[in-house]
Amino acid sequence: MTACPGKIRVAWCGASSQAGLSPRVWRSLRAVLLVYPLTSFTLGWCRAVLRPLRCLVWFVGPILVACDTPAAVQTVITDSAGVVIAVTDERDSRLAWQVHEALTLGGKEQGPQSFFVVSRATVAIGADGRIHVWDGMTHAVHAFDSAGRHLWSVGREGQGPGEITYGNSIAADEKNRVFVYDGGKGALVVFGSEGELLPQVPFPASPIRARQPHFDVHARGFVFWRRERYQGSDQRRTELLWTDDADTAVLVFTDQPITRTARFPGCPLALGLPVLGAPLLNWHRAGQRVAVNHVPEYIIEVFDEGRRTLSIRRTIAPEPITEAEALRHYSSQTEPGPLAGMCRASAREMVKQLGFAPKHQILTGLAVAPDGSIWARRRDGTGGNLIDVFDPGGRYLGTLPPSTPFPIAFIDRDRFVFAVSDSLDVQRLVIARLARDRDVQL
């Protein structure tokens, strides 16, 4: 059925539009909706009897009469600092968008496609959709055009010029320069658009291997994150920073513990182990826009050119974590840390020493498209994930079908790359095209 999230629809059932309303007129009507209750009801006979005759939808005073069930309602305000706060309720509207796989890269036995680990940290999109992949096994960078044709490969293991020892993240800028962070050098190893070696860039932030990239590069500087331990405490401060020609600014930070130190019988060392449910720093950049989530709640902070401009929220409550769930989780990790086989700990002892967060972080990933729209991946309460899509202004467009893959990065507005794994856990990079439907489906 057709839903109308954030739009006044004067439309035919099954093929609706915004009736040509200008943004100014729509903002006025939306203000009315914030004052008067928005009510929808289902005309079941519309689809069964009148669909061939194209049932017309009308907006009448405070009543929105449509051929569907109630759509998600959104409230938009601007705070005293000029930040737009867009809040959408918990009701989902299904987006009838489809993803078509175009081609797959990686997983080969040899050659430039012999890489088999694909993540946000190992893939970077440059100008004109060029795809760069960091292969941590061969310490090489492979460049492909947006159609998957191999352009060049460069790099090898070592401490010399153009060589990399402990690479952990890759990024590319609008000039197709490629940056690889090398922890051994404490610097970014830089290659030009044709793979030529450029001067390396000192990079002081502490590298941490994680599911998120360590840094990204924008037109005038860098975005990167770091953790610092408070002296004499397990508490760590996690920061996301923005640098440009003039300044360095902390976009967000959190003091919540990601790991805790634990000591178990038979272990020669204390182990720093992750805490179940500890909120992680989810972030992504496109152009001069950065989207961040660092709390359990459904809150996405959006920064443009290093300044907070938008806060996107949904009234979906995070799932609580019980002690029984923590025991089940830790029971699968009774040989914890890098000393597996030497250290053993009971699940109850791990719960006692590590503890667990009161609730799960509801958002598990963010992706910013080139037009500034935002994809947010969230827990669905059944062990799976759903993807919500918001326009550049924070308006909720809808939720994609459950099978939709989540982007590693966008090539352009309608193309993105994502990762797939086979039965042997070999990962490949898929280039996909997005087919958008003007209708929103429930």
Side-chain angles (χ1 to χ4, degrees):
M1 297 183 183
T2 303
C4 313
K7 292 186 179 180
I8 300 302
R9 303 252 185 186
V10 178
W12 302 109
C13 291
S16 54
S17 69
Q18 199 169 324
L21 298 179
S22 69
R24 180 176 297 177
V25 172
W26 167 238
R27 283 194 295 269
S28 300
L29 291 174
R30 184 172 60 188
V32 172
L33 291 177
L34 295 177
V35 176
Y36 293 95
L38 183 64
T39 306
S40 296
F41 63 90
T42 302
L43 302 178
W45 49 268
C46 176
R47 291 178 62 87
V49 180
L50 296 182
R51 179 152 189 153
L53 300 179
R54 301 290 189 176
C55 175
L56 190 64
V57 179
W58 295 91
F59 175 76
V60 182
I63 307 297
L64 182 63
V65 182
C67 300
D68 58 31
T69 54
V73 177
Q74 185 173 59
T75 303
V76 180
I77 63 172
T78 302
D79 69 11
S80 59
V83 177
V84 175
I85 301 175
V87 183
T88 305
D89 70 12
E90 71 280 1
R91 290 174 289 186
D92 288 341
S93 298
R94 186 64 53 81
L95 274 178
W97 294 359
Q98 297 181 348
V99 175
H100 302 286
E101 298 184 11
L103 61 95
T104 302
L105 301 175
K108 306 292 186 182
E109 292 187 2
Q110 57 184 356
Q113 291 195 42
S114 60
F115 57 88
F116 57 88
V117 175
V118 175
S119 71
R120 280 272 175 86
T122 65
V123 177
I125 306 297
D128 59 33
R130 187 174 295 188
I131 301 166
H132 307 90
V133 180
W134 160 250
D135 184 352
M137 294 298 295
T138 62
H139 302 269
V141 176
H142 306 290
F144 305 87
D145 67 15
S146 60
R149 290 183 288 265
H150 178 247
L151 300 176
W152 49 262
S153 296
V154 67
R156 63 182 181 182
E157 184 176 10
Q159 295 285 343
E163 297 176 339
I164 302 167
T165 305
Y166 300 112
N168 73 350
S169 280
I170 186 174
D173 67 7
E174 75 283 356
K175 298 178 182 179
N176 276 327
R177 291 180 299 182
V178 181
F179 302 76
V180 180
Y181 186 82
D182 185 355
K185 296 179 178 179
L188 301 175
V189 179
V190 187
F191 302 100
S193 61
E194 302 300 323
E196 69 275 18
L197 181 63
L198 300 177
Q200 67 183 32
V201 178
F203 208 70
S206 302
I208 302 173
R209 292 185 181 272
R211 69 180 190 181
Q212 284 286 352
H214 171 48
F215 76 100
D216 202 350
V217 57
H218 59 86
R220 297 196 303 274
F222 298 94
V223 184
F224 63 95
W225 67 282
R226 68 185 178 193
R227 282 191 196 139
E228 294 183 343
R229 185 189 296 272
Y230 290 111
Q231 188 173 1
S233 169
D234 274 347
Q235 200 82 346
R236 294 186 181 186
R237 179 184 174 103
T238 303
E239 299 176 327
L240 183 68
L241 298 99
W242 169 280
T243 70
D244 57 27
D245 299 332
D247 200 7
T248 297
V250 177
L251 301 185
V252 298
F253 71 90
T254 177
D255 288 328
Q256 299 191 53
I258 304 298
T259 63
R260 284 197 174 101
T261 301
R263 294 180 179 275
F264 301 112
C267 289
L269 300 173
L271 301 176
L273 299 174
V275 177
L276 173 63
L280 302 176
L281 186 64
N282 292 317
W283 66 280
H284 192 238
R285 180 208 64 86
Q288 298 296 99
R289 168 164 282 199
V290 179
V292 190
N293 165 255
H294 64 296
V295 294
E297 292 75 22
Y298 200 124
I299 300 175
I300 304 169
E301 305 294 4
V302 181
F303 299 82
D304 291 298
E305 297 185 339
R307 185 176 65 88
R308 181 170 174 259
T309 57
L310 174 64
S311 183
I312 300 173
R313 308 175 185 185
R314 292 199 69 186
T315 58
I316 303 174
E319 305 166 47
I321 301 176
T322 64
E323 184 177 5
E325 180 183 354
L327 287 170
R328 289 194 302 271
H329 171 79
Y330 289 128
S331 66
S332 64
Q333 304 180 25
T334 53
E335 294 186 1
L339 302 178
M342 297 177 61
C343 299
R344 292 194 61 84
S346 69
R348 190 161 297 281
E349 183 65 22
M350 295 181 75
V351 167
K352 179 181 178 180
Q353 294 204 40
L354 298 177
F356 54 91
K359 49 193 173 183
H360 286 289
Q361 186 172 11
I362 191 168
L363 293 177
T364 61
L366 296 172
V368 183
D371 64 355
S373 58
I374 295 171
W375 292 33
R377 184 178 59 196
R378 62 177 165 91
R379 298 175 183 272
D380 66 359
T382 65
N385 290 282
L386 292 172
I387 301 172
D388 298 333
V389 182
F390 301 88
D391 75 5
R395 185 171 63 87
Y396 171 66
L397 299 179
T399 300
L400 294 168
S403 60
T404 305
F406 191 68
I408 286 178
F410 285 87
I411 296 174
D412 52 38
R413 181 178 180 271
D414 295 317
R415 289 185 299 166
F416 64 88
V417 295
F418 67 92
V420 294
S421 299
D422 62 18
S423 59
L424 300 177
D425 287 333
V426 174
Q427 296 179 326
R428 293 173 173 83
L429 188 68
V430 179
I431 301 175
R433 181 172 294 277
L434 182 65
R436 301 169 187 262
D437 191 310
R438 291 180 62 190
D439 258 351
V440 179
Q441 302 288 325
L442 274 184

